[in-house]
Amino acid sequence: MNIVLGVSGSIAAYRAADLARELMRQGHTIRACLTDAAQQFVTPTLFETLTGNPCLIDAFDEPETGRMAHIDWARQADLILVAPATANTINKLAAGIGDDMLTTLVLAATCPLVVAPAMNPQMYANEITQRSLKTLSARAVAIVEPQEGDVACGEHGQGKLAPNSQIVDTVQAVLASSRLLAGKRVVITSGPTQEPIDEVRFLSNRSSGKMGSAIARAALLMGAEVTIVSGPVQIAYPLQAKVVRVGDAVQMLEATINESAGADIVIGAAAVADYRPADPVAGKMRRGKDNITLTLVPNPDIIAQVARSYPSACVVGFAAEPTSDLSVAMEKLVRKGLFAIAANDVSAPGTGFDAEDNDIALIRRDVAPVMSGRRSKLACALWLLDNLAR
Ligand SMILES: Cc1cc2nc3c(=O)[nH]c(=O)nc-3n(C[C@H](O)[C@H](O)[C@H](O)COP(=O)(O)O)c2cc1C
């Protein structure tokens, strides 16, 4: 595997040389990228000699003429490891700053990122550093926690770069997880549906598409080919996913059935309206004095139809229930003929519709339910796919 090793300006930078050697011993190709501050501690020559590859140090370095290295290396990387990661670099990564080669390269990459912090305990405990680490974790960056001990500045506390063996183990685990769905096709339905009342009004719901987008990102991180069938949403989906846009449930059914042919996993994260107006009005309904009655007819059960049409696929539904009682979701699992159901309690504060976090229970037949616990939607998605893939 191609690993970019980012080294930033910590006293622990010397340890990155051994890390490079250990990862090479495990069969990986290493390309190093040093920040300006890192070069106060170690030299590009050291890494070029060890790795046999050029070492990037400046945002405008171009080892191959005419090829922008930050894009080229980002595309070719299977994983980026930043070790040691300074407080400065961590805070820049969390904020999306790209003012040197290393941070620009990370911004351009879609592969998994592993960050191993090393710093003075006060810098580690600093509220901003902690917030940045949380932000990175929520984006599925693997953080190799620093250890507690005596640090170079003479203080005692948490901030020592984790042992190299722990960093290498994390890299191997992240790489293994990045291949769990290699060669698999994953189809995800996402967002709400809009059921027309007339040509300007519709019935819909509060689904944002964030969970569907998170599952798509997670599946891509795990090596899958991803298609999203999405109702109308504001959010942007990952660029590497194929996105099929639909409006109402009938269109979503047709697109999902088409796209699911040959799929290995189909996940229904869309909030499909259960009913639609029986006779949408042509043009715009006019205001009148009398009450009106809207007759609703049931919509197709998309995920159940996918399960019936493709019995060999792993078809997973979402059950957004205003309760933590799992019996409703269990009944749905059986009635719809699904492989699994991810149940989430949309009445719990901070999770569910349009929230940043989720908390799901994965229910399968003949297996005790497992709970994700409250996590970012991306972390939930990785947890869900990891459970399904294994
Ligand atoms: C001797 C020395 C050791 C340092 N060690 C660390 C360290 O372990 N961790 C850290 O976050 N910053 C450390 N710093 C501060 C960083 O080098 C400084 O914040 C720098 O701007 C980081 O730049 P970079 O993130 O681009 O590498 C150290 C500074 C000096 C002078």
Side-chain angles (χ1 to χ4, degrees):
M1 293 277 145
N2 286 318
I3 298 178
V4 171
L5 172 61
V7 183
S8 54
S10 155
I11 194 90
Y14 72 96
R15 297 251 314 267
D18 266 345
L19 261 176
R21 284 165 65 98
E22 186 49 40
L23 289 166
M24 286 168 67
R25 261 197 291 275
Q26 310 251 351
H28 303 297
T29 302
I30 305 297
R31 291 161 139 191
C33 176
L34 270 51
T35 64
D36 281 352
Q39 293 166 69
Q40 297 289 329
F41 301 93
V42 286
T43 64
T45 313
L46 170 65
F47 288 91
E48 291 187 342
T49 313
L50 283 178
T51 65
N53 283 315
C55 174
L56 294 182
I57 51 172
D58 184 89
F60 292 89
D61 277 351
E62 218 178 68
E64 285 181 68
T65 312
R67 297 179 74 98
M68 287 178 283
H70 64 287
I71 304 292
D72 224 24
W73 283 36
R75 274 191 199 137
Q76 288 168 25
D78 295 301
L79 181 141
I80 300 177
L81 165 66
V82 184
T86 58
N88 176 56
T89 290
I90 287 168
N91 291 324
K92 287 200 293 183
L93 292 177
I97 291 170
D99 64 353
D100 60 11
M101 181 51 107
L102 177 57
T103 49
T104 308
L105 213 159
V106 171
L107 271 181
T110 55
C111 65
L113 175 63
V114 177
V115 166
M119 64 199 70
N120 159 279
Q122 287 305 327
M123 291 169 87
Y124 183 67
N126 183 292
E127 204 182 312
I128 297 172
T129 310
Q130 285 302 314
R131 199 187 316 141
S132 295
L133 288 166
K134 259 200 182 140
T135 302
L136 292 173
S137 293
R139 288 202 219 123
V141 174
I143 311 290
V144 193
E145 294 264 311
Q147 286 197 314
E148 194 174 322
D150 295 325
V151 290
C153 51
E155 290 181 21
H156 182 92
Q158 192 175 5
K160 263 171 92 83
L161 182 67
N164 280 7
S165 58
Q166 205 175 317
I167 299 172
V168 171
D169 286 351
T170 306
V171 166
Q172 297 290 46
V174 171
L175 280 173
S177 145
S178 76
R179 289 191 300 268
L180 270 179
L181 295 178
K184 305 281 182 206
R185 268 199 64 221
V186 177
V187 175
I188 301 150
T189 70
S190 178
T193 60
Q194 290 181 350
E195 309 299 328
I197 298 171
D198 62 15
E199 285 178 19
V200 294
R201 303 178 181 92
F202 51 79
L203 293 178
S204 192
N205 57 61
R206 291 168 46 211
S207 170
S208 60
K210 283 182 186 165
M211 193 63 222
S213 178
I215 298 168
R217 273 186 62 198
L220 288 164
L221 277 172
M222 293 166 83
E225 185 195 324
V226 176
T227 300
I228 305 168
V229 179
S230 178
V233 289
Q234 301 294 325
I235 54 155
Y237 287 118
L239 287 181
Q240 313 101 292
K242 172 182 171 187
V243 182
V244 180
R245 306 266 175 190
V246 295
D248 60 29
V250 173
Q251 292 166 0
M252 187 173 274
L253 172 69
E254 191 188 337
T256 310
I257 293 284
N258 286 343
E259 296 297 331
S260 298
D264 300 282
I265 300 177
V266 183
I267 301 183
V272 182
D274 290 328
Y275 293 90
R276 66 177 183 279
D279 297 303
V281 173
K284 187 179 170 196
M285 272 171 71
R286 293 288 153 199
R287 180 198 290 270
K289 286 207 180 94
D290 299 329
N291 291 348
I292 58 165
T293 302
L294 200 58
T295 303
L296 302 177
V297 293
N299 262 331
D301 188 332
I302 296 177
I303 205 71
Q305 288 208 26
V306 171
R308 269 198 300 279
S309 305
Y310 304 108
S312 61
C314 167
V315 182
V316 181
F318 262 76
E321 299 294 342
T323 165
S324 56
D325 177 6
L326 298 182
S327 59
V328 184
M330 287 193 177
E331 181 274 323
K332 276 188 179 171
L333 172 77
V334 176
R335 175 165 44 84
K336 294 173 184 250
L338 304 177
F339 176 79
I341 275 221
N344 55 325
D345 174 2
V346 286
S347 67
T351 62
F353 279 141
D354 206 22
E356 298 307 317
D357 291 348
N358 211 344
D359 186 351
I360 53 186
L362 179 63
I363 303 166
R364 284 160 290 186
R365 290 166 201 241
D366 309 324
V367 185
V370 279
M371 318 288 173
S372 68
R374 182 171 168 176
R375 315 168 177 220
S376 71
K377 285 189 169 169
L378 182 57
C380 268
L382 283 162
W383 173 88
L384 173 68
L385 290 173
D386 193 77
N387 270 282
L388 294 173
R390 285 172 205 276

